[in-house]
Amino acid sequence: MPEISSYTVNFGPQHPAAHGVLRLVLEMDGEVVRHADPHIGLLHRATEKLAETKPFNQSIGYMDRLDYVSMMCNEHAYVLAIEKLLGIRPPERAQYIRVMFDEITRILNHLLWIGAHGLDVGAMTVFLYAFKEREELMDLYEAVSGTRMHATYYRPGGVYRDLPDRMPKYRDSEYRSEKDLKRMNADRQGSMLDFIDAFCDRFSGTIDELETLLTDNRIWKQRLVDVAVVSPERALQLGFTGPMLRGSGVEWDLRRKQPYEVYDRMDFEIPVGTNGDCYDRYLVRMEELRQSVRIIRQCSDWLRRNEGPVILGDHKVVPPSREEMKDDMESLIHHFKLFTEGYCTPAGEVYASVEAPKGEFGAYIVSDGANKPYRLKLRAPGFAHMSAMDEMVSGHMLADVVTVMGTMDIVFGEVDR
């Protein structure tokens, strides 16, 4: 029988590294990948079309479900676009809260990324370290919004409510000893800002531990160094953003280049790579964790010293408080009208984008003056990165396909939309 040198492999969607929703058709020459054809769309939920059938505020929750690891950052872009249409600007305190939670979300995203990427490449312990810290930050989501994932916390005109004065505590349980309970509640005796400061103090050490496990680990470096090298020029041509672009040595970060909210007041560095390989993209994200802690500390310090409203008082856009509704029938009518009909925006088109953990996430809205978008188009960073899959894996081994997918930090909720 003649030897067959070229054959086709169906990678996914059931493969763990394919996130259950990506089908990769790989053309192989032995163990070497010659061509990769990504088949996407298995998670398409018509988010943009659904948003065009609902009042503006009713679609904020859809944004959380796109990149379901970067929830509040997605909300931020959509809410910024609505605020541009309305010509409003949230109170200063709300802007600082948004920036702080954007960075908390960045840490949440990168912790899941390093845990999952480590598992894909064969490093088990990192996952446990990352998720231990992630639980603490999910408690912050729950404390401000009432839910641990799909927060719907950002609203046009500000945020849903101010930071709570006290952090929720773990309760007594037959599964926990008194000593464990005391340890778990050690940082929960004060306000949310006290809890955040305590987390920042401790988390710097956790980043060092993660780097101790991986950065100079020879197996980790053998799997990542010189894999999927993308030059700065090619990264720009492919539409890369975020760590994928900065890993190739391009110092582009919307927080610095096109600052929104109060990012222009923040003191932080933009980490960039030199080689443009998987290892550089790993190093960039690890340094981003440290820079996020710096920004969170600055926001926490400002919020301690400055009180004020966290949402505008315009009842055409923002619902009245419960106290107002109890005493004023007009406020009650405003409440019902806002949640059933919503509000109408001036006709026009706007684009607003944020530096999400995976790259530039943007919302382009066309308004015809109605109470819902005439057209919504979301700019998902992962879609552009996914389009480079063939170029990045060609010539590498089959095992490297998993590494390349990990370095992209793909979430298909936003890729497929």
Side-chain angles (χ1 to χ4, degrees), residues 6 56 77 88 98 110 159 167 204 212 227 232 331 341-342 360 363 370 382 411 416:
S6 180
F56 286 96
I88 60 175
R98 284 179 177 183
H110 287 358
V159 294
M167 273 299 287
S204 298
T212 302
V227 172
S331 293
E341 294 181 25
E360 179 180 341
V411 165
D416 292 345

Side-chain angles (χ1 to χ4, degrees), residues 27-305:
E27 186 182 317
M28 307 290 298
D29 184 359
E31 279 286 305
V32 178
V33 180
R34 292 299 175 210
H35 178 67
D37 183 14
H39 289 226
I40 65 171
L42 296 172
L43 195 60
H44 180 55
R45 291 174 290 191
T47 300
E48 292 151 330
K49 278 297 166 197
L50 284 169
E52 292 165 16
T53 67
K54 300 181 186 303
F56 286 96
N57 272 18
Q58 291 186 20
S59 296
I60 298 172
Y62 280 124
M63 301 302 122
D64 295 286
R65 290 158 173 82
L66 291 165
D67 177 358
Y68 36 80
V69 191
S70 309
M71 297 75 71
M72 288 197 196
C73 289
N74 302 342
E75 293 176 22
H76 202 167
Y78 180 66
V79 166
L80 277 177
I82 296 171
E83 288 172 348
K84 268 191 180 180
L85 273 173
L86 293 170
I88 60 175
R89 189 173 174 84
E92 194 174 18
R93 184 173 174 85
Q95 293 182 49
Y96 271 93
I97 290 173
R98 284 179 177 183
V99 167
M100 184 173 74
F101 268 95
D102 274 14
E103 296 309 312
I104 287 170
T105 304
R106 196 176 312 280
I107 295 174
L108 276 169
N109 181 94
H110 287 358
L111 283 175
L112 187 139
W113 162 78
I114 191 59
H117 189 26
L119 277 180
D120 286 346
V121 178
M124 177 83 184
T125 313
V126 180
F127 184 87
L128 305 175
Y129 276 63
F131 268 68
K132 175 182 175 294
E133 299 298 339
R134 208 166 177 273
E135 280 301 302
E136 303 280 307
L137 297 179
M138 298 305 284
D139 288 347
L140 294 175
Y141 260 55
E142 187 175 9
V144 295
S145 71
T147 178
R148 294 175 70 82
M149 265 190 91
H150 305 311
T152 323
Y153 180 55
Y154 296 179
R155 308 289 170 89
V159 294
Y160 167 53
R161 61 181 176 188
D162 207 343
L163 306 178
D165 293 329
R166 299 186 67 184
M167 273 299 287
K169 297 180 181 178
Y170 286 100
R171 296 180 181 177
D172 194 8
S173 166
E174 60 180 299
Y175 302 108
R176 300 189 187 107
S177 67
E178 192 174 329
K179 183 180 176 182
D180 284 340
L181 199 65
K182 188 176 180 180
R183 174 182 54 79
M184 293 164 77
N185 287 327
D187 296 333
R188 298 168 184 264
Q189 305 305 314
S191 67
M192 173 178 279
L193 291 175
D194 292 331
F195 180 84
I196 289 171
D197 288 345
F199 175 85
C200 289
D201 292 340
R202 187 183 72 253
F203 187 63
S204 298
T206 303
I207 302 171
D208 292 338
E209 289 176 338
L210 292 172
E211 288 223 67
T212 302
L213 285 167
L214 294 178
T215 303
D216 289 323
N217 184 311
R218 62 190 177 88
I219 301 173
W220 182 253
K221 291 178 80 169
Q222 284 168 356
R223 293 299 306 271
L224 269 67
V225 172
D226 290 334
V227 172
V229 176
V230 182
S231 69
E233 299 77 19
R234 191 60 186 143
L236 287 166
Q237 290 168 356
L238 288 165
F240 282 8
T241 53
M244 291 289 288
L245 181 60
R246 293 189 287 274
S248 291
V250 181
E251 191 182 343
W252 179 262
D253 190 313
L254 294 181
R255 297 173 294 173
R256 183 62 54 78
K257 305 298 183 183
Q258 299 173 11
Y260 50 96
E261 307 295 14
V262 291
Y263 273 113
D264 54 342
R265 307 181 197 175
M266 297 293 131
D267 178 29
F268 66 101
E269 306 297 327
I270 302 173
V272 293
T274 55
N275 193 34
D277 58 7
C278 289
Y279 189 66
D280 270 11
R281 292 186 279 270
Y282 154 75
L283 292 174
V284 163
R285 288 188 177 99
M286 295 307 288
E287 182 57 28
E288 281 188 6
L289 289 172
R290 291 191 167 87
Q291 298 305 321
S292 290
V293 170
R294 278 179 69 180
I295 296 171
I296 291 168
R297 285 187 191 278
Q298 293 169 63
C299 291
S300 175
D301 183 54
W302 189 94
L303 289 166
R304 284 183 186 280
R305 292 183 284 104

